[in-house]
Amino acid sequence: MNELVRLSKRMSELGLSSRREADEWIAKGWVKVDGKVVSELGSKVLPSQKITIEKQASAEQSRKATILINKPVGYVSGQAEDGYQPAVVLIKPENRWEEDKSPMKFHRDQLKSLVPAGRLDIDSVGLLVLTQDGRVAKKLIGETTEIEKEYLVRVRYTKPGKLPDADLQRLNHGLMMDGKKLLPAKVTWQNDDQLRFILKEGRKRQIRRMCDMVGLKVTGLKRVRIGNVRLGNLPEGQWRYLRDDEQF
């Protein structure tokens, strides 16, 4: 606890900001350490020192948008690729859900630096989070995230009979991917052809690959929850703002 750490790193650890935000605020003189303004980039602090931010920083942060979208099939989560459009193109006034209760008003600046906080495959649908807020991105995709993600997955068994209970248990815990053991999951049958997956990690095409390992073919995949935030009745292809009373 007596080792010096970069101020921006410490601010990120405390959940005050992302590292990039921290550097911007430090340069603007909006950060105080033990009551004194620190404006030099690369400054270091002790973990025991008190860090506070000016009201301007809080106000700037509160204006940053976090948007929930019900992504349809055929859109990629991030940058355009292979001729497919990114989900961000759906964020326009005419696609805003009419039942969105947020008082935020849409303006084009909200599309700047709006990044996906986690992936959703091109052939998957459901809840996708796009945010300008580095704290949200870190919480959802950081290395130490504990946030659950819930999926409804339609499957077809490619072998005779039904999926053995032992293979269902393997889906819950025991599979390896890319030479590394997967974290425990919660996988249960919802009906004859639909599974519910609850994961705390998100490797590329993880659910499809997990199912493949036990002889299941995924025919549909929908993300319905991230942490405490649910897709709910948000229509496919439409979006809404994260409300002030919602926490992942």
Side-chain angles (χ1 to χ4, degrees):
M1 288 295 289
N2 293 320
E3 289 186 14
L4 288 167
V5 294
R6 281 182 69 105
L7 176 54
S8 57
K9 181 173 187 279
R10 183 61 179 152
M11 289 172 65
S12 175
E13 289 172 350
L14 293 170
L16 294 171
S17 66
S18 67
R19 289 198 196 187
R20 188 172 70 175
E21 275 178 330
D23 282 337
E24 289 174 2
W25 297 349
I26 291 165
K28 290 176 179 177
W30 290 353
V31 180
K32 289 182 178 179
V33 178
D34 291 338
K36 294 181 180 178
V37 173
V38 175
S39 56
E40 185 178 335
L41 292 176
S43 296
K44 294 188 175 184
V45 295
L46 290 168
S48 58
Q49 291 184 280
K50 184 179 180 182
I51 301 168
T52 53
I53 59 175
E54 297 288 359
K55 289 180 181 177
Q56 299 100 306
S58 298
E60 186 179 90
Q61 204 167 48
S62 69
R63 288 195 295 270
K64 294 194 171 180
T66 294
I67 289 172
L68 314 177
I69 186 167
N70 186 347
K71 188 191 87 66
V73 167
Y75 289 85
V76 292
S77 299
Q79 298 293 323
E81 55 185 74
D82 299 328
Y84 293 104
Q85 290 185 301
V88 70
V89 302
L90 295 168
I91 300 173
K92 45 192 175 184
E94 57 266 37
N95 288 348
R96 184 175 180 179
W97 189 27
E98 62 180 15
E99 294 184 30
D100 186 359
K101 300 292 195 296
S102 171
M104 286 189 79
K105 288 185 169 58
F106 176 78
H107 54 82
R108 304 295 300 178
D109 283 351
Q110 290 166 356
L111 300 178
K112 294 176 183 174
S113 306
L114 193 67
V115 297
R119 290 176 53 87
L120 197 56
D121 296 332
I122 191 168
D123 41 6
S124 300
V125 302
L127 183 57
L128 180 67
V129 178
L130 298 152
T131 186
Q132 294 177 310
D133 191 333
R135 297 170 304 168
V136 172
K138 182 172 184 282
K139 182 171 283 192
L140 297 189
I141 58 178
E143 291 180 9
T144 57
T145 184
E146 285 289 308
I147 302 291
E148 288 186 344
K149 298 175 181 71
E150 182 177 339
Y151 305 80
L152 296 178
V153 186
R154 293 211 171 274
V155 293
R156 175 173 52 81
Y157 194 43
T158 59
K159 300 176 183 178
K162 292 186 175 181
L163 180 75
D165 288 343
D167 281 342
L168 181 63
Q169 287 306 312
R170 288 176 65 215
L171 287 172
N172 278 271
H173 193 210
L175 293 177
M176 301 275 292
M177 193 173 288
D178 302 325
K180 189 177 177 184
K181 203 168 188 178
L182 293 173
L183 294 177
K186 298 174 188 172
V187 185
T188 54
W189 285 108
Q190 297 303 290
N191 53 50
D192 289 345
D193 68 348
Q194 184 169 271
L195 289 164
R196 182 185 302 273
F197 276 72
I198 299 176
L199 307 178
K200 285 189 177 180
E201 59 186 332
R203 302 200 207 173
K204 191 171 183 180
R205 298 184 74 81
Q206 178 173 336
I207 290 175
R208 295 175 190 276
R209 293 169 69 192
M210 288 172 71
C211 287
D212 220 29
M213 291 175 195
V214 297
L216 290 171
K217 170 75 173 173
V218 172
T219 59
L221 191 154
K222 182 178 188 178
R223 184 157 62 202
V224 296
R225 177 174 66 87
I226 299 176
N228 295 321
V229 176
R230 294 186 175 275
L231 179 65
N233 297 322
L234 180 63
E236 192 170 296
Q238 294 189 23
W239 62 273
R240 70 174 178 87
Y241 291 107
L242 183 73
R243 298 192 311 268
D244 290 340
D245 64 335
E246 287 182 303
Q247 295 288 327
F248 288 104

